Amino acid sequence: MAEKGVLQRYLSVGEVARRCGIAVSAVHFYERKGLISSIRTDGNQRRFHRGVLRKLAIIKVAQKTGIPLSEIGDAFEKLPPNTVPTAKDWEKLSSQWRDDLNDRIEQLTRLRDQLGQCIGCGCLSISDCPLRNPYDELAGDGPGARLLEVEEE
Amino acid sequence: MAEKGVLQRYLSVGEVARRCGIAVSAVHFYERKGLISSIRTDGNQRRFHRGVLRKLAIIKVAQKTGIPLSEIGDAFEKLPPNTVPTAKDWEKLSSQWRDDLNDRIEQLTRLRDQLGQCIGCGCLSISDCPLRNPYDELAGDGPGARLLEVEEE
DNA sequence: GCTTGACCTTAACATTAGTTGAGGTTTTAG
DNA sequence: CTAAAACCTCAACTAATGTTAAGGTCAAGC
């Protein structure tokens, strides 16, 4: 009781999970992955600094943008250790991720537009279908361009 | 030799893979998953109808939009069986997937805009940060809104 | 002081989308 | 005809992101 109240310094794993809307197992998982850390009580239970809540919030947002945990972890490692991410830190992370997100949005938008055009062509016309255009970003996994080289013979 | 040339009707797995720019193992995989099918030679080797090239092209495009293979398979099953997807079929698929894609683009765009605003607030301000606004689409996994209920005490 | 809920660890399982390897067969080119 | 390239199956492995279960401990309220 004495520690609770106005200035509860440490949180149990259950509290963290509940307040972030994630499962306890996910909190454990993120800790195993090194994204967050905790100290232990004498009884070996985890106690989390409040800052972990911000980190988890950042993790959730970053995941929504499609960023893998490994990359989130890399970003966290470049932060000053053992501190709550500051506004400045968050600014760096979020602006970088926003750029990534923008790139992904652009890619998807191009694809959507191509799909839109392609609805008319039905992927039947070699010359007209943008999805079959070898020089757009749909090609380019192999040497040369043969993504939709479907019936060139 | 006799079958090759101007009107080669069937393709080996290697030809299919090469012409689609995917690995042989991936072709096998898609067949196991029921997305494509083949007949066999007397020697038990796969032979693919040319239509498989179009299906694989569709698979690749759909995957780029973020659609899982299971869903692509579901869509294929609703197509008339044993035929090459027609322009009409492709129109249905592509317009549906384009709508999905649009939804995803919209979500990501909202998220990006929120990130943009959030760069200023640094996730420090309870009242100003849109990422902490309990009533936008970032919340809503749990009962009530507590996504980023980070330091409300 | 005991019961119950919360916590601990470790291992296994689930899912998606494939890849890799072993061991053997078929096809093709010369 | 023979050697090499391509093919076959089946099982195991990869990677990311977790969840679930088993077996045991800790903490808090009555």
Side-chain angles (χ1 to χ4, degrees), chain A residues 122 124, chain B residues 51 54-55 58 76 79 83-90 93:
Chain A
L124 293 171
Chain B
R54 183 160 314 148
K55 280 198 167 183
I58 293 174
F76 280 172
L79 260 39
T83 63
V84 181
T86 64
K88 205 78 187 165
D89 294 330
W90 168 240
L93 293 180

Side-chain angles (χ1 to χ4, degrees), chain A residues 23 25-26 29-30 43 45 63 68-69:
Chain A
S25 63
F29 180 73
Y30 295 145
Q45 295 197 353
Q63 284 196 297
L69 289 184

Side-chain angles (χ1 to χ4, degrees), chain B residues 30 35-36 52-65 67 69 72-73 76 90 97:
Chain B
Y30 296 144
L35 297 177
I36 56 178
V52 88
L53 297 175
R54 183 160 314 148
K55 280 198 167 183
L56 287 170
I58 293 174
I59 289 170
K60 287 188 77 170
V61 171
Q63 282 195 298
K64 278 175 198 286
T65 73
I67 291 167
L69 289 184
I72 301 171
F76 280 172
W90 168 240
W97 288 339

Side-chain angles (χ1 to χ4, degrees), chain A residues 44-73:
Chain A
N44 196 36
Q45 295 197 353
R46 288 170 181 85
R47 287 300 179 267
F48 293 90
H49 189 271
R50 307 186 53 74
V52 89
L53 297 175
R54 180 159 317 146
K55 281 199 166 181
L56 288 169
I58 293 173
I59 290 170
K60 288 187 76 171
V61 171
Q63 284 196 297
K64 278 176 199 285
T65 73
I67 291 168
L69 289 184
S70 57
E71 209 169 310
I72 301 171

Side-chain angles (χ1 to χ4, degrees), chain B:
Chain B
M1 279 289 198
E3 279 213 299
K4 284 204 169 179
V6 177
L7 210 129
Q8 181 185 10
R9 296 188 75 73
Y10 290 104
L11 304 165
S12 71
V13 66
E15 281 173 307
V16 168
R18 188 174 37 73
R19 291 177 61 168
C20 291
I22 65 182
V24 168
S25 63
V27 179
H28 287 176
F29 180 73
Y30 296 144
E31 190 181 21
R32 261 205 321 287
K33 290 290 169 182
L35 297 177
I36 56 178
S37 61
S38 62
I39 56 177
R40 298 295 176 118
T41 64
D42 287 350
N44 196 36
Q45 295 198 354
R46 289 171 181 82
R47 287 300 177 267
F48 293 91
H49 188 272
R50 307 186 52 75
V52 88
L53 297 175
R54 183 160 314 148
K55 280 198 167 183
L56 287 170
I58 293 174
I59 289 170
K60 287 188 77 170
V61 171
Q63 282 195 298
K64 278 175 198 286
T65 73
I67 291 167
L69 289 184
S70 58
E71 210 170 309
I72 301 171
D74 292 348
F76 280 172
E77 280 183 10
K78 289 177 194 140
L79 260 39
N82 296 324
T83 63
V84 181
T86 64
K88 205 78 187 165
D89 294 330
W90 168 240
E91 178 176 333
K92 263 189 204 156
L93 293 180
S94 61
S95 62
Q96 185 199 311
W97 288 339
R98 190 197 42 180
D99 292 346
D100 291 353
L101 190 49
N102 252 331
D103 290 348
R104 294 216 309 124
I105 288 171
E106 260 176 50
Q107 269 181 32
L108 291 178
T109 302
R110 270 201 302 275
L111 180 57
R112 180 199 54 192
D113 293 345
Q114 286 174 330
L115 271 181
Q117 289 172 54
C118 209
I119 288 171
C121 88
C123 255
L124 290 171
S125 158
I126 291 177
S127 51
D128 299 347
C129 178
L131 286 173
R132 303 182 69 168
N133 174 356
Y135 295 115
D136 66 22
E137 79 282 4
L138 285 175
D141 350 63
R146 62 158 60 87
L147 172 62
L148 298 180
E149 177 198 319
V150 173
E151 39 205 334
E152 81 288 335
E153 89 189 30

Side-chain angles (χ1 to χ4, degrees), chain A residues 134-147:
Chain A
Y135 294 116
D136 65 21
E137 79 284 3
L138 286 174
D141 349 65
R146 61 160 59 89
L147 173 63

